[in-house]
Amino acid sequence: MKCFTGTFFCADASMSWIAYPEDSQFPIQNLPYGVFHLKSEAVSTARPGVAIGDFVVDLRVLEEAGLFPHLKEHSPVFNKGSLNKFMGLGKAAWQATRETLTVLLGKDTPTLRDNEELKSKAVIKVADVSLLLPAKVGDYTDFYSSKEHAINLGKMFRPNEEALKPNWVWLPVGYHGRASSVVPSGTGIRRPWGQTKPPTAAEPTYKKCGRLDIELEMAFFVGTGNELGSTISIDNAEDHIFGVVLLNDWSARDIQAWEYVPLGPFGGKNFGTTISPWIVTLAALEPFRAQSPKQEPAPLSYLADKATNTAYDIHLEVWMGTAKAEPERILHSNLKYMYWSMKQQLVHHAVTGCNLRPGDLLGSGTISGPEEGQFGSLIEKTWNGKNKFQIGGEERVFLEDGDSIILKGWCQGEGYRVGFGDCAGTILPALEQ
């Protein structure tokens, strides 16, 4: 097993006294952060935890037991129903906490393993908990950073023009989304109403969305931010990134098509955004760095990155089920194809002096790939509704009421897997008006 300083320990320390199968999404090399409460408790008792195997380790219990001495001056850190305070402490605190947890959960460390009373309070079956949003999302921005996706949509909607707009290769295009409608995995998504106008219609109409879509994305949470009026350097941008989640940017394509000129998406995107419950840290993703895509023309100086391995090899899948049919895989891609990196997205967001804060969420945009079938949305899979597909014998073009979507993602190591947990949602009927 390859070792990475500050990421995880080698040999015996990389194995835990908590048993889990080799294909578990949450081995000791992962240790992602989330927020939970016991199903038998009120939501008001929610606190941060770390996933390992089929268990959640209660960080509040460990902090109260004095097992995080490096956080003492900031204590209490893990007594609230969000990770924002911990996110704001910075990389040194994140790394020290990760190293402490790796030792405590290592098979040869008796501190927690042999203390039955403490272990019974701190180590909880995930089946006994409810998972919430891991952070209070102050602001949410969604980018448009997959070149393959942008080209697909350009060809689809502007067949007689260049697929990419001139600015796309010079900057990470993005828009400000709606933080209030970011929801945790498992939350139902209500079909929206809105204005739509088919190309041949003289006027718009007010109706239920008829072209409801998904977008396969990832997103990162900002850790330490920047002061208003200051910027973030590309050289230390990763120090500001706390970790990564799966994200489904539910999209009402017919509403979006009518409204998006000239200021971009609004009601076609603001009705729901689902994220996976566990935040996987960059430290856990370190072994899975990949070659950055070639960027031509060369980015301007503030976006120019000396590092050439800013991509991550994260396998992504979309599974779809219906009210009658079990979920099956319909799409796949990989984060490594994303043209603009997370670092570049962060730096560009702050280049004007915009202040980013702990818990801000920055989405990647739909992640498509260069190979056949590597699409991140139904509008690509069906080529704007022209090609139907089958789920359990039922025909689909876009999402129908009762359809469910599950995003999955993982990195495959040597004998272990680093996963994110499912990012799932089911379409609920529009409210009658």
Side-chain angles (χ1 to χ4, degrees):
M1 180 177 289
K2 195 173 182 181
C3 302
F4 294 81
T5 303
T7 303
F8 59 83
F9 296 90
C10 296
D12 289 343
S14 69
M15 299 174 64
S16 178
W17 48 265
I18 294 179
Y20 48 79
E22 190 173 289
D23 63 352
S24 170
Q25 295 189 70
F26 308 119
I28 197 169
Q29 293 92 339
N30 192 349
L31 301 181
Y33 293 95
V35 167
F36 75 98
H37 68 86
L38 290 172
K39 291 179 179 177
S40 60
E41 297 176 339
V43 175
S44 59
T45 65
R47 62 273 195 188
V50 158
I52 181 167
D54 294 326
F55 295 89
V56 179
V57 178
D58 190 327
L59 297 180
R60 183 180 66 184
V61 170
L62 298 189
E63 183 178 30
E64 290 174 348
L67 297 179
F68 296 135
H70 59 283
L71 298 178
K72 188 174 182 180
E73 64 179 297
H74 306 289
S75 185
V77 176
F78 298 122
N79 68 328
K80 301 291 185 183
S82 78
L83 284 157
N84 294 61
K85 183 172 182 178
F86 182 54
M87 290 172 166
L89 296 183
K91 185 177 180 179
W94 310 336
Q95 182 168 314
T97 302
R98 179 176 173 80
E99 291 177 354
T100 298
L101 288 167
T102 303
V103 171
L104 285 172
L105 297 171
K107 69 174 186 178
D108 293 329
T109 304
T111 308
L112 185 56
R113 183 195 66 195
D114 297 347
N115 186 330
E116 294 298 330
E117 181 180 2
L118 182 60
K119 184 168 65 174
S120 67
K121 295 178 181 178
V123 183
I124 305 165
K125 291 180 180 178
V126 73
D128 294 335
V129 309
S130 295
L131 298 173
L132 309 177
L133 283 178
K136 182 178 180 181
V137 180
D139 283 294
Y140 162 52
T141 299
D142 200 21
F143 286 92
Y144 186 50
S145 291
S146 164
K147 191 172 187 179
E148 289 80 10
H149 175 68
I151 288 174
N152 287 339
L153 265 61
K155 289 179 178 178
M156 200 180 297
F157 296 118
R158 299 183 299 276
N160 299 319
E161 303 176 27
E162 288 292 329
L164 292 178
K165 291 292 186 180
N167 65 347
W168 198 94
V169 295
W170 289 102
L171 57 86
V173 174
Y175 72 94
H176 293 288
R178 185 70 184 173
S180 65
S181 54
V182 176
V183 296
S185 179
T187 304
I189 299 297
R190 182 74 62 183
R191 182 179 298 274
W193 286 74
Q195 283 195 29
T196 70
K197 181 183 175 298
T200 57
E203 295 180 349
T205 58
Y206 177 60
K207 57 178 287 190
K208 301 173 187 177
C209 170
R211 292 163 64 89
L212 190 53
D213 200 355
I214 60 100
E215 290 189 346
L216 170 61
E217 302 192 23
M218 302 202 74
F220 66 88
F221 276 99
V222 175
T224 50
N226 59 301
E227 294 295 325
L228 181 65
S230 67
T231 61
I232 295 174
S233 166
I234 194 75
D235 294 330
N236 63 10
E238 285 184 356
D239 294 347
H240 294 263
I241 298 175
F242 179 71
V244 184
V245 294
L246 300 172
L247 183 148
N248 185 351
D249 179 25
W250 304 92
S251 300
R253 298 298 185 192
D254 43 359
I255 297 172
Q256 180 184 356
W258 169 233
E259 73 180 2
Y260 84 101
V261 176
L263 291 180
F266 185 52
K269 296 281 192 174
N270 67 8
F271 59 94
T273 302
T274 303
I275 64 171
S276 52
W278 298 106
I279 305 177
V280 177
T281 64
L282 293 192
L285 295 177
E286 182 66 25
F288 306 102
R289 284 187 179 272
Q291 182 69 31
S292 310
K294 185 173 180 60
Q295 295 184 325
E296 292 181 330
L300 298 180
S301 59
Y302 76 99
L303 290 172
D305 197 339
K306 294 188 289 288
T308 59
N309 62 341
T310 58
Y312 293 91
D313 185 2
I314 302 176
H315 176 75
L316 301 170
E317 295 184 350
V318 178
W319 289 61
M320 180 176 173
T322 75
K324 298 179 181 179
E326 290 297 312
E328 57 186 82
R329 194 182 84 162
I330 60 167
L331 301 169
H332 70 283
S333 190
N334 195 298
L335 184 66
K336 67 184 179 182
Y337 301 130
M338 192 168 70
Y339 186 88
W340 294 105
S341 71
M342 290 185 283
K343 293 169 67 177
Q344 290 171 319
Q345 291 168 349
L346 180 70
V347 168
H348 184 65
H349 202 312
V351 72
T352 55
C354 172
N355 54 319
L356 294 159
R357 298 173 294 187
D360 283 355
L361 184 68
L362 277 65
S364 64
T366 309
I367 304 166
S368 300
E371 299 174 14
E372 185 176 355
Q374 288 185 327
F375 298 133
S377 62
L378 298 183
I379 198 169
E380 292 171 277
K381 180 178 178 65
T382 66
W383 207 252
N384 198 23
K386 294 178 181 178
N387 306 316
K388 296 180 180 180
F389 63 97
Q390 298 274 330
I391 295 288
E394 298 180 61
E395 280 191 345
R396 286 293 185 272
V397 179
F398 291 100
L399 298 174
E400 302 290 341
D401 295 346
D403 288 349
S404 59
I405 292 291
I406 307 169
L407 308 189
K408 299 175 181 287
W410 67 86
C411 308
Q412 189 61 54
E414 296 178 20
Y416 71 99
R417 173 177 287 190
V418 169
F420 295 80
D422 289 349
C423 177
T426 299
I427 302 303
L428 306 177
L431 295 175
E432 291 303 324
Q433 299 193 16

